[in-house]
Amino acid sequence: MTTQNMTKGWFVAAATAAVAILPMTHTTAASAEDSTANKADANTNKAASWRAKTVDDVKAVVLSAGTEYKVQTGDTLSTIAQATGESVDDIAKANGLSDVHFITVGETLKLTPADKQDNNSASECA
């Protein structure tokens, strides 16, 4: 083998390696792992900023809601129950909820109006 052929061989090998490595050093695409990490960070930020509403927060909305209430961010079934005077179990049963610890934002819950509850209480006492 001549020196010229050896030099040519090394040049071809170096060029091939450079062509193979160059795309790996200059990428703009995100990997699935990057996407998952970003989603996890976003979910962590949402969880960190989530705050349960107080009974008074929910009461103000429930009073104008009537017989149906649309679940909002920060609502819990317990708080909705306290705000309406209903029990958690009654709301869960009326809405077919199998897990009282799981309601979703945007879900519409059927409620017993507070004035109907007051009338029931009054008639029970009479």
Side-chain angles (χ1 to χ4, degrees):
M1 193 174 205
T2 66
T3 306
Q4 187 177 14
N5 285 342
M6 282 180 43
T7 304
K8 186 177 179 182
W10 279 105
F11 178 75
V12 169
T16 303
V19 168
I21 292 172
L22 186 61
M24 289 186 269
T25 61
H26 184 55
T27 9
T28 56
S31 71
E33 290 174 0
D34 292 340
S35 177
T36 303
N38 289 337
K39 285 180 184 177
D41 289 343
N43 288 337
T44 301
N45 290 338
K46 282 182 186 177
S49 65
W50 184 88
R51 159 186 94 73
K53 287 185 176 178
T54 65
V55 173
D56 291 333
D57 293 338
V58 177
K59 252 185 200 178
V61 179
V62 167
L63 288 175
S64 63
T67 58
E68 291 186 341
Y69 178 75
K70 190 171 188 176
V71 176
Q72 301 171 10
T73 301
D75 285 343
T76 65
L77 199 56
S78 174
T79 305
I80 295 168
Q82 290 175 17
T84 61
E86 294 185 58
S87 73
V88 170
D89 291 336
D90 287 345
I91 295 173
K93 185 177 179 181
N95 291 281
L97 302 174
S98 58
D99 184 355
V100 297
H101 302 289
F102 184 76
I103 56 174
T104 56
V105 172
E107 179 177 2
T108 301
L109 299 175
K110 296 175 201 161
L111 303 173
T112 303
D115 60 343
K116 185 176 178 185
Q117 289 175 359
D118 293 339
N119 290 339
N120 288 343
S121 298
S123 64
E124 288 172 8
C125 293

